[in-house]
């Protein structure tokens, strides 16, 4: 009888600890979700401690996949402030083999070179472009393109 009583106490203790852990995880996730903010004119604006005083700009077009061959750019977010403009995105290799190379990110009349190196098959990496004081003219969508032979030649000659 005493063994059954001890087993019952152990099981009740495990249940209570499990319940408290689940409650803690739920409360923590709830606080993270509250940081989302409003949606205005198809742009999402929110605040971030990472980039103080920056306007955070994204929309469905900027978030969607933009691919060249098997390399895709997605989840693009623009952090624009008076003194800088940073672009964060994910680069994904959807191919079967490890990939390295360059591509151009095109915002209307502005282009930036993106380098990816040893990107494993089916892997995704976060990538950031720092533009300092430059501002993007059109932030509603972007394109990706391959580098021309001359652009590749210029990059290789600088190494």
């Amino acid at each position: 009888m005493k063994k059954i009583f001890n087993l019952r106490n152990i099981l009740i203790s495990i249940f209570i600890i499990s319940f408290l852990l689940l409650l803690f995880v739920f409360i923590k996730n709830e606080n993270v979700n509250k940081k989302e903010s409003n949606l205005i004119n198809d742009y999402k604006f929110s605040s971030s401690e990472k980039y103080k005083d920056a306007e955070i700009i994204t929309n469905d077009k900027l978030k969607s996949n933009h691919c060249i061959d098997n390399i895709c750019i997605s989840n693009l977010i623009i952090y624009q402030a008076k003194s800088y403009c940073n672009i964060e995105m994910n680069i994904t290799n959807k191919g079967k083999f490890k990939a390295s190379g360059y591509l151009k990110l095109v915002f209307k009349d502005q282009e930036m070179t993106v380098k990816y190196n040893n990107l494993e098959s089916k892997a995704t990496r976060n990538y950031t472009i720092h533009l300092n004081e430059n501002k993007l003219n059109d932030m509603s969508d972007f394109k990706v393109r391959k580098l021309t032979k001359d652009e590749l030649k210029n990059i290789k000659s600088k190494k």
Side-chain angles (χ1 to χ4, degrees), residues 7-158:
L7 181 61
R8 191 174 117 203
N9 285 344
I10 291 171
L11 289 174
I12 288 172
S13 297
I14 291 172
F15 176 77
I16 290 171
I17 291 170
S18 299
F19 176 76
L20 291 174
L21 284 173
L22 285 173
L23 185 64
F24 174 75
V25 169
F26 177 76
I27 289 171
K28 187 174 180 180
N29 284 341
E30 195 66 27
N31 288 339
V32 168
N33 291 336
K34 285 182 182 178
K35 291 182 181 177
E36 289 292 321
S37 70
N38 56 352
L39 188 67
I40 301 172
N41 296 332
D42 200 30
Y43 288 101
K44 183 174 102 179
F45 296 90
S46 61
S47 62
S48 172
E49 293 300 316
K50 186 174 182 179
Y51 297 110
K52 283 203 170 211
D53 302 323
E55 181 178 52
I56 301 172
I57 302 168
T58 190
N59 63 30
D60 290 339
K61 288 181 183 178
L62 295 173
K63 288 181 184 178
S64 67
N65 278 332
H66 293 67
C67 302
I68 293 280
D69 299 328
N70 292 319
I71 304 300
C72 296
I73 303 292
S74 63
N75 297 320
L76 189 134
I77 300 172
I78 301 165
Y79 298 88
Q80 189 143 323
K82 290 179 182 177
S83 61
Y84 65 87
C85 180
N86 286 352
I87 302 169
E88 287 191 359
M89 67 196 88
N90 290 334
I91 299 177
T92 303
N93 179 1
K94 293 191 175 187
K96 294 181 181 179
F97 305 104
K98 188 185 293 187
S100 295
Y102 300 91
L103 59 85
K104 282 284 187 177
L105 196 64
V106 182
F107 286 90
K108 202 170 185 175
D109 59 345
Q110 294 169 292
E111 297 184 344
M112 290 132 260
T113 303
V114 174
K115 178 183 179 182
Y116 53 95
N117 194 21
N118 295 321
L119 186 56
E120 296 288 335
S121 173
K122 311 299 182 212
T124 299
R125 281 195 199 143
N126 189 294
Y127 191 90
T128 303
I129 298 172
H130 304 282
L131 297 176
N132 295 327
E133 293 186 25
N134 294 344
K135 302 288 186 216
L136 293 173
N137 294 330
D138 181 10
M139 299 175 283
S140 60
D141 196 9
F142 68 98
K143 295 178 184 178
V144 291
R145 71 167 178 84
K146 293 182 180 181
L147 273 68
T148 65
K149 289 180 182 180
D150 288 339
E151 289 170 332
L152 277 172
K153 186 177 173 183
N154 286 337
I155 289 174
K156 290 179 181 179
S157 69
K158 291 179 183 179

